[in-house]
Amino acid sequence: MVYNLGLQNINNNHGIISFGSKQDKEKKIEHKSDVLLYDEKKKHPLILGAKIQADKLEKACTIYPKKGLQGSKNANFYEFLTMGEVPYLIGSGMMIATFNLASKFFDTPSAQSASKIGKKMGLGVLLYGLGKTFSKKLIEVPVNMKYGIDVNLPYKKKIDELPEYNNKKDDLVSYEYHKAYESVDFSRWDLFYDNKSYGDERNSYYKKIGKKLGLTNEELGTAADQKVKPLITDKVVKTKVFSTLSSYLWAATGVGIAMQKPWENITFNPKKIIQTFKNNSKIIEQNEHAIKNNWFKDFGKRFGESCYKLVNNESKSASIAGRLLLGSAVAMTLLGNFSTLFDFNKNRGTNSSAATSIIDENKEKVVC
């Protein structure tokens, strides 16, 4: 028997107590819970990652510091970590500016020496960031292409915040960006169940990945998720380990390339180019041609010479160190691909699942 009390909402200054309000049900539907982020092709494109990083950086410079300074009860560790990107960027800019902007206060010989160091330092910061970021793709992309496992697959997490003051509503909502495989022990497996992006069945995602991992329909059975989850975890762990190790080696290699002599005399004045573009349309075409065919060509030439100098330096010890560094980065990348793309476990279809190995169907109870 159901009793209708005729009550919709009772406001108690701190929030709203609901007794089956239709409006509240619609609100719950409107503010959906955590959801995976895709594009139309069900992939994680670079543009989506750029949008996520831009949104996080904007909040790290505006919303999160304000909440922290005000002592907000909703400030959390995620916001603290996100704000850590700001001093990283500021520090990189200050490192570049140390020699490049201060050189005008030096005498001529000192200014020339500072300019050489400043160019190398600025390029070193750039190549460090590029090497550390994009070198991971050398391992992550092949794994995603072969098995369909994207270790960076993002999802948007809904956070129901507490009211800051008594006169504020209690429907404050914020969102955080996380990755489905962010935690190996607590992966967001629930986001893949009943996901129409992979199929109409409840375990469509796990069946799809299981087949790419080499399991047959008989091996998958009706509990495909239980068979595939340990295999996915194994791939994610290996991919993260090797991509992280290789990224630092490639970042160090980028810094080593930036410290070579061919970069000392490179010239590039953006202000002068922009001013030239504004003065004369004919000169624009000439400068465009010069930029594309001279400056970029010169940059590529210097980059090649710097790579050669890294492994064939005038100093024998520097050459040995450069060869070891570059060789280590290449070897770690190849080892990562070899370890993640090839599976030597012949019996994974029957013994890979932890549940299969500990459950005895002849017993009525299982104690773990």
Side-chain angles (χ1 to χ4, degrees):
M1 182 178 294
V2 179
Y3 295 92
N4 187 351
L5 299 178
L7 298 176
Q8 296 299 323
N9 294 318
I10 298 177
N11 194 328
N12 63 350
N13 292 329
H14 295 283
I16 298 175
I17 301 175
S18 174
F19 294 86
S21 170
K22 181 179 179 181
Q23 183 179 0
D24 290 338
K25 292 180 180 179
E26 291 176 352
K27 186 181 294 184
K28 290 182 180 179
I29 296 174
E30 178 183 358
H31 296 288
K32 264 193 168 182
S33 187
D34 306 349
V35 60
L36 291 174
L37 299 179
Y38 300 94
D39 67 344
E40 294 179 356
K41 296 182 179 179
K42 305 176 185 177
K43 295 180 180 179
H44 178 201
L46 291 176
I47 188 171
L48 177 59
K51 288 181 179 179
I52 292 175
Q53 290 300 322
D55 190 24
K56 290 174 65 176
L57 184 60
E58 179 185 359
K59 292 179 179 178
C61 296
T62 56
I63 299 176
Y64 297 160
K66 181 180 178 181
K67 291 173 66 176
L69 293 173
Q70 289 180 343
S72 171
K73 64 183 71 175
N74 294 305
N76 55 32
F77 192 58
Y78 168 83
E79 297 176 358
F80 172 76
L81 292 178
T82 304
M83 286 189 292
E85 298 179 2
V86 178
Y88 178 83
L89 295 175
I90 295 176
S92 299
M94 292 179 66
M95 184 178 293
I96 296 174
T98 300
F99 289 89
N100 292 295
L101 297 183
S103 60
K104 61 182 180 181
F105 300 105
F106 305 153
D107 54 25
T108 302
S110 299
Q112 291 178 349
S113 299
S115 177
K116 292 178 181 179
I117 299 175
K119 291 174 182 177
K120 292 180 179 180
M121 191 167 292
L123 188 62
V125 171
L126 178 62
L127 293 182
Y128 176 89
L130 293 176
K132 189 172 182 297
T133 302
F134 292 102
S135 61
K136 293 182 179 181
K137 304 300 179 184
L138 297 175
I139 299 177
E140 295 171 349
V141 171
V143 172
N144 191 14
M145 291 177 63
K146 183 174 182 179
Y147 299 116
I149 302 173
D150 185 359
V151 297
N152 295 313
L153 187 63
Y155 74 92
K156 199 172 185 179
K157 183 176 182 179
K158 176 192 172 185
I159 304 296
D160 295 314
E161 295 187 337
L162 299 171
E164 299 288 352
Y165 308 102
N166 292 338
N167 60 343
K168 284 193 174 183
K169 298 180 180 179
D170 66 341
D171 60 346
L172 299 175
V173 176
S174 65
Y175 294 94
E176 299 176 357
Y177 294 103
H178 294 274
K179 297 176 182 178
Y181 299 116
E182 191 172 71
S183 171
V184 175
D185 296 322
F186 302 98
S187 300
R188 292 301 307 269
W189 304 114
D190 57 300
L191 298 178
F192 297 101
Y193 288 109
D194 294 319
N195 195 317
K196 301 301 180 183
S197 300
Y198 296 102
D200 297 330
E201 298 181 18
R202 175 176 172 78
N203 289 333
S204 294
Y205 172 78
Y206 298 104
K207 288 185 177 181
K208 179 180 178 181
I209 300 300
K211 290 179 180 179
K212 288 188 176 183
L213 288 168
L215 299 179
T216 63
N217 290 327
E218 295 180 355
E219 291 173 335
L220 290 172
T222 57
D225 54 335
Q226 300 302 319
K227 294 286 184 68
V228 175
K229 283 179 183 179
L231 302 180
I232 295 178
T233 300
D234 180 66
K235 294 295 181 184
V236 170
V237 170
K238 290 180 179 179
T239 303
K240 285 186 175 182
V241 168
F242 286 106
S243 62
T244 300
L245 292 176
S246 65
S247 68
Y248 284 105
L249 291 172
W250 282 113
T253 303
V255 174
I257 293 173
M259 293 297 106
Q260 303 305 315
K261 286 185 178 180
W263 300 112
E264 293 180 355
N265 299 321
I266 190 171
T267 57
F268 180 64
N269 193 337
K271 293 183 178 179
K272 186 176 180 181
I273 294 175
I274 294 173
Q275 187 63 35
T276 306
F277 279 10
K278 293 180 179 179
N279 292 337
N280 195 319
S281 59
K282 293 183 179 180
I283 301 180
I284 291 178
E285 298 179 0
Q286 297 175 1
N287 278 275
E288 284 181 344
H289 182 271
I291 293 172
K292 292 179 180 179
N293 295 280
N294 294 330
W295 192 87
F296 286 109
K297 184 178 180 180
D298 181 58
F299 184 89
K301 182 180 179 181
R302 291 177 188 272
F303 184 83
E305 292 176 353
S306 297
C307 292
Y308 180 80
K309 287 289 185 181
L310 179 66
V311 296
N312 294 282
N313 202 287
E314 288 82 1
S315 172
K316 187 175 181 180
S317 58
S319 297
I320 295 174
R323 292 174 184 177
L324 288 174
L325 182 60
L326 181 60
S328 299
V330 174
M332 186 62 67
T333 302
L334 294 176
L335 180 62
N337 279 280
F338 184 79
S339 177
T340 54
L341 297 179
F342 297 94
D343 194 350
F344 302 99
N345 187 2
K346 301 291 185 181
N347 301 320
R348 63 177 180 175
T350 56
N351 297 325
S352 61
S353 174
T356 305
S357 61
I358 65 174
I359 294 178
D360 187 354
E361 296 180 357
N362 296 324
K363 294 183 179 182
E364 296 181 355
K365 296 181 180 180
V366 175
V367 179
C368 299

